[in-house]
Amino acid sequence: MNMKNLSDAFCPIARGLTCVGDAWSMLILRDASLGLTRFDEFRKSLGIAPTILTRRLATLTEEGLLEKRRYSERPPRDEYVLTAAGRDFLPVLILLGAWGRQYRGEGRLARYVDAETGEEIEPVAVDAVTGAKIGTRPIRVATPE
């Protein structure tokens, strides 16, 4: 199955990957979650080529994770603001970061802390129905009828 067909897959992970399945897109969402909105800010933070950044911003906008807003008419300039879907991706990023810290944690690493308390965030994914930490109970895939 190629990436284009993933958007039609039954698997919600596959569908999610079609819009944020590359490192640049996830890093753009990380930076947007930290308050960056402008093309030059993303470019400086990521060290990304302008052509790649333009494509990723367009895709994230088309997929509904970012909204493009005009902030200057002369010269015409746009900023990229997280939508509800983009804001809801933050826990995924934080969990990915915790996994990276645990399994790829050599050397100096940034820490994510609660802005109010200064305490390091220790994310845990929990099933809201059972209250169980995800990964502690067996799961299976239930395909649609």
Side-chain angles (χ1 to χ4, degrees):
M1 177 178 288
N2 65 38
M3 282 300 281
K4 188 168 187 135
N5 293 348
L6 288 179
S7 62
D8 296 327
F10 291 131
C11 177
I13 295 170
R15 286 191 184 187
L17 285 171
T18 63
C19 59
V20 293
D22 67 84
W24 288 125
S25 294
M26 287 193 226
L27 293 172
I28 290 166
L29 291 171
R30 176 205 62 192
D31 283 358
S33 294
L34 295 172
L36 276 60
T37 61
R38 297 186 179 173
F39 187 92
D40 289 340
E41 293 173 331
F42 291 119
R43 191 163 161 229
K44 182 179 179 186
S45 172
L46 299 171
I48 186 174
T51 53
I52 295 171
L53 179 56
T54 298
R55 282 195 304 267
R56 295 309 187 281
L57 288 170
T59 299
L60 290 167
T61 301
E62 289 166 18
E63 294 290 345
L65 287 112
L66 293 175
E67 179 184 344
K68 189 174 175 180
R69 292 185 190 160
R70 178 74 30 116
Y71 71 86
S72 171
E73 291 297 332
R74 293 181 192 216
R77 300 265 191 243
D78 297 314
E79 63 182 355
Y80 298 86
V81 180
L82 289 168
T83 62
R87 287 187 300 276
D88 285 348
F89 197 73
L90 180 60
V92 175
L93 293 171
I94 296 298
L95 284 165
L96 181 60
W99 180 90
R101 177 173 279 289
Q102 182 172 349
Y103 294 104
R104 300 292 185 265
E106 306 82 28
R108 295 179 54 217
L109 290 175
R111 297 178 306 115
Y112 292 96
V113 298
D114 183 288
E116 293 178 18
T117 67
E119 294 293 320
E120 186 167 353
I121 294 171
E122 294 184 31
V124 176
V126 174
D127 176 23
V129 175
T130 64
K133 182 178 174 185
I134 294 176
T136 62
R137 295 169 56 114
I139 64 166
R140 65 180 174 80
V141 177
T143 56
E145 303 285 320

